[in-house]
Structure formats: structure tokens, C-alpha cells
Amino acid sequence: MKLKISTCRAITQMLLALTGIAFAPIAVAYDSTEIRINTSWQFRQASSSGQLKGQIAVSDWLPASVPGTVHTDLLAARVIPDPYVGAPEAALQWIGLADWEYRTRFDAPRSAMEAGARSDLVFEGLDTFAEVSLNGEPLLAADNAFRRWRVPVQGRLRAKGNELRIVFRSPINKLLPQVQAMPLKLAGNYPSPYGDEPPDAMTGNFVRKPGYHYGWDWGPRYVTAGISQPVVLQSWQTLRIAELQLRQDHVEAARAELLAIASVDALRGGSFALRLWQTAPDGRRSLAAERQLDLHSGENRIELPVQIDRPQLWFPNGYGAQALYRYDLEVLEGARTVARKQLRTGLRRIELVREPDDKGKSFYFRVNSIPIFAKGANTIPFDMFQPRVSPAQLRRVLQSARDAHMNMLRSWGGGYYESEAFFDLADELGLLVWQDFMFGGGMQPAYDPAFRANVSMEAREQVRRLRHHPSLALWCGNNEEEIAWKYWGPGKAMTAADPAFADQVWQGYVQLFGRDLRQVVAEEGGGTAYWASSPSDDLAEVANTPASGDMHYWEVWGNPAHPVTQFLAITPRFMSEYGLQAWPVQRTVDAFATRAEQGMSTPVIEAHQKFLAGKGNERLLKYVHDEFGAPRDFAHFIDLSQAMQAEGIELAALHHRASRPFTMGSLYWQLNDVWPGASWSSIDHFGRWKALHFHARRFFAPVAVAALRDAAGKTTLSLLNDRTQPRRAELRLRVMTLDGRVLREEQRSVDMPPLSATQAAVYADEQLLGSADAGSTVAVFDLQAEGEPASRSVVYFKRAKDMAWPEAGLQAQLRRDKAGLVVELQAAALARAVWVDFGSLDVEVSDNALTLLPGERRLLRLKSKASHAALRRALQVRAFAPLRP
């Protein structure tokens, strides 16, 4: 059966009217086309990289993937080994010194060849120095991996067989001569140990390219290149909607006032209708605004006011629903739809609150009038080769963040601006995003106006791209550059050597991060706050201070490597970095190292331990030994490193939460991994949870108890309630021996105000212990509030290695109940750092990294594709036990 368009429209309108949904006109025709140029790509080496270990000649054309990178293309062609397995890093540095050429052929769509049509080639991402030609003619010279490049190509297209070529120049070779010519070099980040560039002439800070490609203390050095984002041919005959902004001018529970701002590029003038359709979170579609107007040839800016009564607001995780609205803008000429653009957003009001008090200034985020204690972590790039990061990988990690009650992630500045998929997930999961601009450390040539102009254009594009996301809470200029200049030595050394040049460098910094980027965010950000650097006090004289602004605290783990109890001595306004390392689980280590290659100082293990140039295990062993003693082998070292990391970060995070409202944020370093290896992450490269993430789900729970014992033997008991409503709970204290004999027990009801931390008691050791032996006694605090998970805090009076641990008598039974597979755990004596493991099988366990009290039973649910029998054979349960003579 055939129906005319008008008949289809009438039937659809009738059906929509019956359902109460407003009718949206059906587009009769479109005069624009868009094709992705992502097939038939080839690549080859365009120049020699000199004489470096492992160099391979790649002169023949080989298949390439777009989006992609030269490293992943070489891997797919079996030219190089897997860059993550073993220790191939040194032998792959030649790739970053070579030039690479990519080519493909494509046919132009018929619409692009019609008279009067406009066609643009859009390069969403080119990494980095790229010379682009079309049909043998130069088209573009790109120099910024973070920018989008749009080039008109009408009149240069052929109907058939267009040839597109892109040559990528080595960023090291391109920049090294100018860097070496500088009398005084700008501070970089991590010098290469491989000889591909001199350690005193680092080029990474002179190029707008992901800084982590040059190596970091958690990832390898792979200075890659390639077509990192899609290449698109866009053609249209009438107009194009270049931008659509949904500026939220006023958002309250009673009413939201938005201004939709459309930027339209018209090929010719004429009379047009603009219609903005709104789809509410419940799926109801309505016409939000419409306007008839005359457009002129060229750029047009059109404003459409939108008012929503009783809007459904968007809230961070733990404070309400993540209501999302969709807006569709269509432009019609008569009955013909000539352009359409769609955005999704959430309605909310986010403020960075900086109020003076007797100690300095506050630093916290207020969302829809609710002061938010930011709980979360820092994210780093999800892979060394960003194009292969999948939406499923992002969802697994970000869902894990939500599951651990996080409400904020800091997207760190040494990688890349995250994808739409990342921000869409953050919107859906209620994860606020602190977004750094892409400056990870060291110092840039910001004294150069051309460099600043390039960065400002990059920033403007990225702010426009991301501003509609309700999760976006803050734009931050850079990571650690201010404190590096002021306190770490480079600024002082340069000032002593050449005061005039040092002043030029610093004034360039102030111009870029204090003025230029601030102005871009003010003009384009739709009200999102800007912060000059992290950590900082927004360019105040003193940075990284507890009194004001945000802090990074690395005197635990970094220099001077204080014990973890020193976390309790620092009470910041907002802690945006702190951390402890651990190795990932055994199965992840097995993915890159055979068991014969695993050891504290074996070459492969050191290659995957980037802290202190591979010697980070010495620092990690110090912290493990301080609490737990010496590991018996590398597998035991993995377990103890995870227990140490989890317990240490728990101590710090609970201290931050207990210091509310002075402290209003705790973001540990770091959430995820860029590759499999030792790091500060709580989730490894394959998405597997370390012990820390299981602990985070408990210590970030909205209602929790914190019993924190400092180095002097004082225990402070705090009750934490992040809910917007008061909570009544039962608080229980038991002082017991490790074998289960209860020496003292107290229980009482407690009331917890909303959005609060309440100090409930302070104990000296003798007040809890009495005459009991500190080496065989613990204090257990349990908090149970109606509708909330139970919370527990255990106080130990001696280090784990100094306690008289009885045999734990751990028992584990695998069985099936009505809901699926479970493991039932029980211990005869107190069991610390209990870990349930299934060896080479991937199994999601509902909880892990536990403390079991004597006689206590725990049920853990399992998710796995493995059979019941296979799981039974693989099941292992272990807990901390000291090495015995």
C-alpha cells in the first residue's frame, strides 16, 4: 500500500493527538548530506626516523583504521608486538620519530556536485602536525590535536575517485630544533629514558597534543600519530545549523528560563521558520518555541526564549534523579525542512561557592541550592590509544563510580578532552565533571601570542562542544603548573638565571590561564565557573593551602613519604588529589607478564611500574612493610599492596568527610588505568575492581560511621549523613579480642542532621582498651540507619604486622539460591583484608576486601559466565596473615 506524504502526516498527527503528544511536522525533504570517510584507508612510513633500537621499515601501503593511530595500525598489520605485553616500549620509540602518510579515495555524493551547493571536509581530530591534500592540492596544515578542522571544498571535489592524503610529521623532530635553540629551556614533565629526545630539551609542552603520550608515572611513552577522530564530508544547499546553545539563565523548582541560541550559516537570504521541540524526561513532546524570520547570507544568530513551568531538575548522584530533556531545532523553508540539530541537557543550577570566613575562603559546589560534598576520583585517559576506547569500557568504569556513591570526577589535564559518550554517561549517572583544559604540568610557551591564540581557539571549540552537559561543573586551566613554577624549583631556577625571561614566562602564564581562558569560559560556557589551576587559590599569591582553594596532597606516598596517618593532619577546603599505589589483581598482571617474569625487580614488572622510573616498587614495599610486614612473594605483594592502598585511602577520605563543612570535597587519585600496570587506580585497565573500589563503596556511602585513630593513639568518632533528610540510626560499639571475646559493648540511638558530619566522641586508647592487650584487641563501631547499608569502622591499636593474629579459620561455601550463585563466608577469628578470588575466571563479586568478625556470616552474590563446577574449582578465599617463623 502506498500513502502520500500528506496522508501519512495527517494519520500521524491524529495518532499523536489521541495520545496527548504534540505533533511535530514530518520533514518532507532535506537538502544536506553527510558521509563519513572511514573506509579504504592505507598508511605507510613517509620518512626514516634515524637509527633507533627496533626500527622497522614500513615502505609499503598497509591497511589503516580511521579513527585510529599509527601504533594500532602497525599492531593490526603485525608489524609490531602488542605495546602492552612484556617490555617492548624501548623498541617502539622509533615510531614517534617517523613521519607517516595516510591516504584514501572516496566518491562525492550527488548533492555535493550540484550548482550552488556548499561542501566542507570536517576533521574531528588530527594528531597532530598534519599536512592534508585533496586531489593533489594542499588543503590544510593542522597543528593542534584538540581542535576540529573545517575546510570548504566546493569546486575541488570530483564526482568519483577523490584522493585524500594526510602526512603526519613527527612532533619531536619538528619541534626539537627550536627547543634546543633556547638558551633556557622550559620545564617539561617526564624526560625520555629511550634516547628519542634529549632529557634537557623536552618538546611535549610546545605542542597541543595529549601530554601523556610522552610518558607519565602511570603509563608508557608512545608518541603516536594518526586520524584520531572521524573525517566527514558535509554538503548542503540552503543553510547549516553551526551551533545550538541552550543557555540556562534561571533554574528553580517553580520555573526554568532558557535561551536557545542558534548560529546559522546560510548560503542565501530568505524567509525561514525555526521550531524548537522539547521532549521531557517522561517522553512527552511539545513545541517549546518557534519563530518566523528573514535570514541573510552568511552567519546568523537567532535567539529563542524557552520557559518551563515546574521543571524536572537534574541532580548529582545521591541527591535526586538525573532528569534529561531533549531539544530538536528544525529550520523550515515553507513545508521543507532544510536543517535540524538535536541536543540533550538537564536543568540545574551549579555554583562554585567561595565565601570568606575567619580561616580563608570556602570552596564547594552548590547544585539546585544543595551544598554538595564532592565524593569521587580523578580520571586519566582510558587507553594509550584513545580511538580504541569503547562506549562499553566507559560505561563499565563510570557505572562503577556511581556504584561507589561517587558524585564527581575530575577529568585530568594531561590527556584529552573526553568524548560525547563519556559526558552522556556522566549526565545519565549523575557524575559531576571537573574538566581541566589540556595542560598536564611543566610550563608552556604562553608568552608566544600565536601559541595562546591556538589554545584559545581550542578552548572555545571544546567549551561550545560540552556546555550543554548538565554534568559539567567546572572548567580548570591546568594541572599543577602554578605550584610547579612557584614551589618545585623551575621558576626559581629560571629567575636566578634570567630574571627578564622568567618574568616573560610567568606573565604569559597569567595571561593564558588568568585572562584568556577565563574570558573564553565567561563568553561561551553558559555560566559554568572557571578556576585557574589545580591546586590553586585562583592565582592568589599562595597556592595549595588548606585555608582556601583546592589542594593536592602528596607528602604521603610522594616526598617525604609520610606514614598514612599523616592524612589526618591535613584538613583542606577541597582535596582534589591524594593517593596510594597498588598492583592490579593477579589475572591482570598475568595478561602482560608470565609467572616467570613476575618479581619485585624483574624487567617486565619494572616496565609496568612507572613511578620513580621503574623503581616504584621500593616505595610501594615501604608502605606495605610499614603496616603489614614483608610479603612472601610477588603474588602476596599484590594482595598486600591492595590492602594497604584501600585502608590508607579510606582513612583520608573519611577524614575529609568528617571535616565537613570546612572540607567539602575528596577526589582520590585515580579512578582508572591507561594500561595494565601498577598505579594509584581503584579500577584496573580491564575494568576489574581493586580492593580500594570495594572500600570506596563503603567509605563514600551516604550514611557512614568514621572511627579514625591517629598516630598519637586518639580515636575520633564521627557520624556522616549526606542525605538531605535527617537520619536516626543505631550506633553500636564492641571492644573484642581477635578470637571473638567481647570485652565491652554499648548501643544507643543517634540522630544525624541532614548534610552533616557530627563528632560523636573522642577516645584515648586506654578509654577503649582498658586493661586489654592492644595486640589482640580491636574496637568495632557499627552504624545502622533505616533504609541505608550498614556501616562499620574497625579500630586497630597496633600495626597489622605487630598483632597476635590467631588462625582466621576462613570457610567459603559456593551454592545456588533462588536469586543465583552465592558464596557464604565465615571466619572463626577476626579476618582482615578478606579477598574472594576465582583465578583465571572473570567473576563479579557483590562485595570483597572485607573484614569478618568472629562467627560472622556474609553472603556474596556472583555474576559470571563460568559454570558452577568451574567456579567451585577456582574459588579461593584468603585474608591477611603475618609471616610466621
Side-chain angles (χ1 to χ4, degrees):
M1 185 174 92
K2 295 182 179 180
L3 292 174
K4 295 181 180 179
I5 292 289
S6 58
T7 305
C8 291
R9 185 191 306 173
I11 294 172
T12 303
Q13 186 170 6
M14 179 183 68
L15 292 173
L16 292 173
L18 289 173
T19 61
I21 301 175
F23 170 68
I26 294 175
V28 177
Y30 295 97
D31 70 350
S32 62
T33 57
E34 182 174 294
I35 62 169
R36 290 202 170 195
I37 304 174
N38 58 2
T39 60
S40 304
W41 282 94
Q42 298 176 309
F43 82 112
R44 68 179 179 184
Q45 189 173 337
S47 71
S48 171
S49 56
Q51 298 300 315
L52 259 186
K53 177 184 176 183
Q55 181 175 338
I56 301 170
V58 188
S59 55
D60 295 333
W61 289 103
L62 298 172
S65 296
V66 171
T69 71
V70 64
H71 282 78
T72 48
D73 287 335
L74 289 168
L75 175 63
R78 300 185 179 181
V79 175
I80 63 171
D82 190 324
Y84 288 3
V85 176
E89 192 174 344
L92 299 181
Q93 294 309 306
W94 62 273
I95 301 170
L97 292 177
D99 297 338
W100 298 92
E101 184 176 13
Y102 282 71
R103 73 176 183 184
T104 191
R105 288 184 176 273
F106 67 94
D107 296 337
R110 182 185 304 171
S111 59
M113 304 305 296
E114 294 180 0
R118 166 79 179 267
S119 294
D120 287 356
L121 267 175
V122 183
F123 302 88
E124 301 284 354
L126 297 171
D127 185 9
T128 294
F129 291 111
E131 299 165 5
V132 184
S133 63
L134 176 65
N135 297 326
E137 297 294 327
L139 187 68
L140 168 68
D143 61 355
N144 188 327
F146 306 123
R147 286 182 58 181
R148 186 183 199 229
W149 306 92
R150 174 180 290 273
V151 188
V153 291
Q154 62 271 10
R156 306 176 72 169
L157 291 171
R158 302 169 181 164
K160 300 287 185 181
N162 293 280
E163 184 183 56
L164 186 60
R165 285 185 181 243
I166 306 176
V167 176
F168 292 94
R169 300 299 179 190
S170 163
I172 298 173
N173 286 337
K174 185 174 181 66
L175 292 170
L176 191 57
Q178 77 176 68
V179 175
Q180 287 182 312
M182 295 176 66
L184 285 176
K185 311 296 192 294
L186 296 182
N189 291 303
Y190 293 92
S192 174
Y194 303 116
D196 52 326
E197 72 175 5
D200 64 343
M202 291 182 276
T203 61
N205 283 5
F206 291 80
V207 57
R208 297 308 296 145
K209 172 181 175 63
Y212 79 108
H213 287 172
Y214 294 83
W216 222 267
D217 57 4
W218 36 253
R221 180 183 176 94
Y222 290 129
V223 185
T224 196
I227 307 168
S228 56
Q229 300 294 334
V231 179
V232 180
L233 176 63
Q234 295 179 349
S235 302
W236 66 96
Q237 293 178 313
T238 306
L239 57 80
R240 176 179 68 91
I241 304 174
E243 296 283 347
L244 174 60
Q245 180 182 5
L246 298 169
R247 198 177 73 198
Q248 300 185 24
D249 292 337
H250 180 85
V251 178
E252 299 285 354
R255 188 177 74 257
E257 295 174 358
L258 281 64
L259 187 66
I261 305 171
S263 299
V264 175
D265 183 5
L267 296 186
R268 56 176 172 78
S271 179
F272 296 88
L274 273 71
R275 293 177 181 171
L276 183 68
W277 296 90
Q278 172 187 285
T279 303
D282 61 5
R284 295 183 64 85
R285 195 165 191 253
S286 60
L287 184 62
E290 82 178 310
R291 184 176 172 187
Q292 186 78 33
L293 75 167
D294 292 331
L295 300 180
H296 57 78
S297 177
E299 295 183 4
N300 298 262
R301 185 180 190 272
I302 305 106
E303 296 184 354
L304 297 169
V306 177
Q307 180 172 307
I308 307 163
D309 293 328
R310 296 179 299 281
Q312 300 178 56
L313 300 185
W314 184 95
F315 289 90
N317 181 31
Y319 293 89
Q322 287 74 56
L324 295 169
Y325 287 77
R326 192 182 75 236
Y327 288 90
D328 297 271
L329 177 66
E330 58 183 13
V331 183
L332 297 94
E333 186 176 32
R336 189 170 64 103
T337 301
V338 296
R340 176 172 283 167
K341 196 171 187 69
Q342 181 182 104
L343 285 181
R344 189 181 71 169
T345 193
L347 306 180
R348 83 290 183 265
R349 186 176 72 260
I350 297 181
E351 306 160 87
L352 175 60
V353 182
R354 307 224 53 226
E355 297 172 339
D357 57 27
D358 60 347
K359 294 184 176 63
K361 272 188 178 180
S362 66
F363 186 104
Y364 69 93
F365 295 90
R366 189 161 56 205
V367 182
N368 302 329
S369 301
I370 301 172
I372 305 295
F373 188 100
K375 301 180 295 190
N378 291 258
T379 61
I380 63 171
F382 287 76
D383 199 283
M384 282 304 302
F385 312 112
Q386 188 269 339
R388 69 180 185 181
V389 176
S390 69
Q393 182 182 358
L394 293 173
R395 178 170 289 280
R396 180 170 183 171
V397 175
L398 268 62
Q399 181 65 53
S400 294
R402 178 184 169 96
D403 292 345
H405 306 290
M406 295 184 184
N407 56 39
M408 177 172 275
L409 301 175
R410 174 175 173 247
S411 183
W412 169 79
Y416 45 78
Y417 299 97
E418 275 295 351
S419 63
E420 287 296 320
F422 175 97
F423 275 92
D424 284 345
L425 284 167
D427 294 344
E428 294 165 12
L429 298 173
L431 299 171
L432 296 168
V433 179
W434 168 318
Q435 180 63 60
D436 284 359
F437 286 102
M438 288 302 110
F439 295 92
M443 186 59 75
Q444 280 72 35
Y447 49 81
D448 178 3
F451 181 88
R452 291 201 310 272
N454 194 359
V455 171
S456 293
M457 183 59 71
E458 161 199 323
R460 199 169 296 275
E461 291 178 4
Q462 294 295 340
V463 172
R464 287 176 174 175
R465 179 176 72 90
L466 298 174
R467 62 190 171 190
H468 64 282
H469 288 284
S471 55
L472 183 60
L474 182 75
W475 284 100
C476 180
N478 65 70
N479 172 73
E480 296 187 340
E481 297 199 359
E482 182 178 341
I483 60 166
W485 180 265
K486 288 180 174 179
Y487 306 130
W488 293 356
K492 294 178 181 178
M494 185 172 285
T495 300
D498 188 338
F501 183 56
D503 183 67
Q504 184 183 7
V505 170
W506 176 247
Q507 292 307 318
Y509 174 95
V510 173
Q511 179 65 42
L512 178 59
F513 297 108
R515 302 188 190 102
D516 294 352
L517 294 180
R518 194 184 304 275
Q519 180 178 349
V520 168
V521 174
E523 292 174 351
E524 306 285 358
T528 301
Y530 174 79
W531 191 246
S533 180
S534 181
S536 79
D537 194 15
D538 207 23
L539 280 171
E541 182 177 353
V542 178
N544 206 31
T545 169
S548 188
D550 71 312
M551 279 195 74
H552 294 186
Y553 184 67
W554 287 105
E555 291 184 13
V556 174
W557 179 264
N559 291 324
H562 288 312
V564 294
T565 51
Q566 187 65 19
F567 280 133
L568 300 178
I570 302 298
T571 304
R573 295 291 188 169
F574 193 107
M575 189 67 85
S576 47
E577 277 193 27
Y578 63 100
L580 292 165
Q581 254 202 12
W583 280 91
V585 295
Q586 183 68 61
R587 187 176 184 197
T588 295
V589 176
D590 290 344
F592 64 80
T594 66
R595 291 299 175 96
E597 293 171 329
Q598 296 177 27
M600 293 291 293
S601 57
T602 58
V604 172
I605 291 300
E606 288 197 343
H608 288 255
Q609 166 59 280
K610 293 300 179 182
F611 185 67
L612 297 178
K615 301 301 181 182
N617 279 345
E618 297 173 9
R619 181 67 53 85
L620 185 50
L621 182 59
K622 171 202 178 308
Y623 278 93
V624 167
H625 192 274
D626 283 352
E627 181 63 34
F628 295 105
R632 60 179 171 268
D633 54 27
F634 190 74
H636 193 212
F637 180 52
I638 291 174
D639 287 350
L640 293 183
S641 74
Q642 290 207 18
M644 179 278 300
Q645 180 195 38
E647 293 186 8
I649 298 303
E650 177 172 319
L651 183 74
L654 287 175
H655 169 60
H656 300 152
R657 293 190 65 191
S659 302
R660 179 181 187 150
F662 186 89
T663 302
M664 287 296 288
S666 184
L667 310 180
Y668 64 74
W669 185 271
Q670 65 207 53
L671 179 66
N672 62 305
D673 270 337
V674 76
W675 79 326
S679 83
W680 297 261
S681 73
S682 61
I683 303 172
D684 75 22
H685 181 64
F686 298 110
R688 298 170 184 140
W689 289 20
K690 294 181 182 177
L692 170 55
H693 209 78
F694 289 101
H695 277 243
R697 187 167 58 186
R698 296 191 285 268
F699 64 66
F700 278 154
V703 177
V705 61
L708 308 178
R709 181 178 181 272
D710 64 19
K714 182 181 74 174
T715 296
T716 302
L717 177 67
S718 298
L719 308 178
L720 314 174
N721 180 20
D722 286 345
R723 300 298 191 191
T724 56
Q725 299 296 323
R727 286 290 187 267
R728 169 159 276 232
E730 292 298 312
L731 176 65
R732 183 185 187 191
L733 162 64
R734 283 173 289 173
V735 179
M736 64 173 61
T737 60
L738 294 176
D739 58 9
R741 184 163 55 93
V742 176
L743 307 177
R744 170 184 171 186
E745 184 169 7
E746 299 174 5
Q747 188 164 335
R748 61 187 171 100
S749 297
V750 292
D751 292 311
M752 293 177 287
L755 304 171
S756 70
T758 304
Q759 188 178 107
V762 178
Y763 302 95
D765 280 356
E766 57 270 20
Q767 290 176 287
L768 290 171
L769 282 170
S771 59
D773 174 33
S776 59
T777 307
V778 296
V780 182
F781 294 87
D782 288 297
L783 184 73
Q784 181 65 70
E786 185 177 353
E788 303 287 351
S791 179
R792 171 175 290 168
S793 195
V794 180
V795 176
Y796 301 95
F797 300 97
K798 285 193 173 183
R799 294 178 297 182
K801 66 181 181 181
D802 297 327
M803 295 185 71
W805 297 94
E807 292 292 335
L810 271 176
Q811 296 181 2
Q813 180 186 4
L814 179 68
R815 56 184 173 81
R816 188 181 297 276
D817 65 12
K818 293 181 180 179
L821 287 172
V822 297
V823 170
E824 182 176 329
L825 298 179
Q826 187 175 10
L830 190 144
R832 181 172 175 179
V834 176
W835 187 257
V836 178
D837 188 63
F838 290 88
S840 62
L841 301 180
D842 257 334
V843 182
E844 291 185 23
V845 185
S846 63
D847 206 358
N848 218 334
L850 302 161
T851 297
L852 283 179
L853 301 185
E856 186 175 39
R857 294 176 182 269
R858 293 289 299 272
L859 286 181
L860 309 182
R861 300 212 163 269
L862 309 180
K863 288 184 181 179
S864 179
K865 296 180 180 179
S867 68
H868 190 161
L871 292 170
R872 186 184 300 278
R873 287 192 299 270
L875 174 62
Q876 304 172 42
V877 182
R878 51 189 180 270
F880 169 73
L883 293 180
R884 303 183 188 276

